[in-house]
Amino acid sequence: MLGLFLQPDAVTNIAGMDIDPLVKTHALEVVAKGYTVVRGAIPPETCAKTIAAFRRFERANDAIFAANRNELGHYPRIVNLHAAMPELLPLFTRNPVWLAVQDVLFGAPTSLYTSLFYEVGSQQPLHRDSPVFATRPEYLYFGSTIYLEPAGDDNGCLEVMQGGHLMPELDREAIAIRRFGALDKIPDTDGDTWMEYQNTVIEAGRARRLPVKKLYVQAGDSLIWHPQLPHGGTPIRDTSRTRFSLVMHTTPAGVPVYHQDAFFAPSRAFPEVAPWSYREVEGRKIADFRHGIGFGHERAYQLSEFRQPELVG
Ligand SMILES: O=C(O)CCC(=O)C(=O)O
C-alpha cells in the first residue's frame, strides 16, 4: 500500500475530500511544505498535568532516573516512556485533529509505533529520520511532536528545512555498495553512513537555498513532519530551562519498520508485515513494546523494573 500522501495525485485527492476544512488544510500543508503545526491541539491543563505525572513517575523510580541525569541535571531523550507511563497515552489517543490529519494522509487509521520523551531540546543538527524508520513500503510513517511547554530560542525549538522533503532521494544503493560491497552486507546501524547521507542531503538543500525555519510553539501545539523533511533542534541558550515534549512515530497498523539495512537497499525485498502485535487504547492501536525503555544510547530498562507512583505511596 502506498500512503495516500505519497501518491502523485495526493493534492488533488485531498483537496477533493469531503472532510473537516481544518484537517484538510493541515494535510495539504504536510504535502506542500513538509510539516504542519496544529495549534492548541492539547489543552494546556493536560500538558501541565502530564509534566506533573512525569515528576511523580521520576520520584517513584529515583534510582533509574538518577543514574541517567547529565552534568546539568537533565535526561537524554527517553525512548518509549509511553510504555511505562500511561499518562502519556492521551497525547496520542485524545488529539483528534492531529490524528485525523495523519489518518487522511496515510489513507488508514494512525497507530503508534515508538516515542521519544524530551525533558530538554535535542540540539540535533538538521537530519532526515528516514534511515532509522525504513518502512516497507517505503516512507510510510510520520514523525510528530506534542509540546508540553512553549519552545523558543532560550530553551531550543525545532527547525525545519522547508520543502526539503521534495528533494530527490540520493542513490542510496551506490552509497551502500561503495561502503559495504553488497546490499546484504549493510549493518542495521552505521554512524559514518548516517553522516554521509545527512551531510549530502543538507548540502543539497542549502545549494537550493531552501529556507530553514524555526518553529516557535506553545504548550499543546502538535507538529507533524513528513518522513523526508530535514529537521533538527536549535541550540539552547538557557540550559536551566526545560522543554518537555513527546515525539511520536506513527504508521498505519501492521507496517514494519527497519533501519539502515533496508533504507540503503531499497531494491531488496523485506517482509511487508510487522512482526509485532498491537494493543488497543481508546480505539487506537499501539505497537506492543519490544525493546525496553532507553535513556539515550544506554541500556534499556524492562517494564518490570519501573514502579508506578500509586504503588510507591
Ligand atoms: O525536538 C527536537 O529538538 C528534535 C527532535 C528530532 O529531531 C527527532 O526526534 O528526530
Side-chain angles (χ1 to χ4, degrees), residues 77 116 118 121-124 127 129 158 225 231-233 243 247:
R77 60 197 198 170
L116 300 170
Y118 286 93
S122 71
Q123 306 195 80
Q124 268 183 278
H127 63 281
D129 286 338
L158 200 84
W225 71 83
H231 63 279
R243 194 210 68 186
V247 165

Side-chain angles (χ1 to χ4, degrees), residues 126-128 131 193-203:
L126 286 168
H127 63 281
R128 279 177 172 166
T193 313
W194 167 271
M195 287 309 298
E196 177 179 345
Y197 177 81
Q198 304 298 355
N199 290 340
T200 313
V201 167
I202 301 312
E203 271 169 33

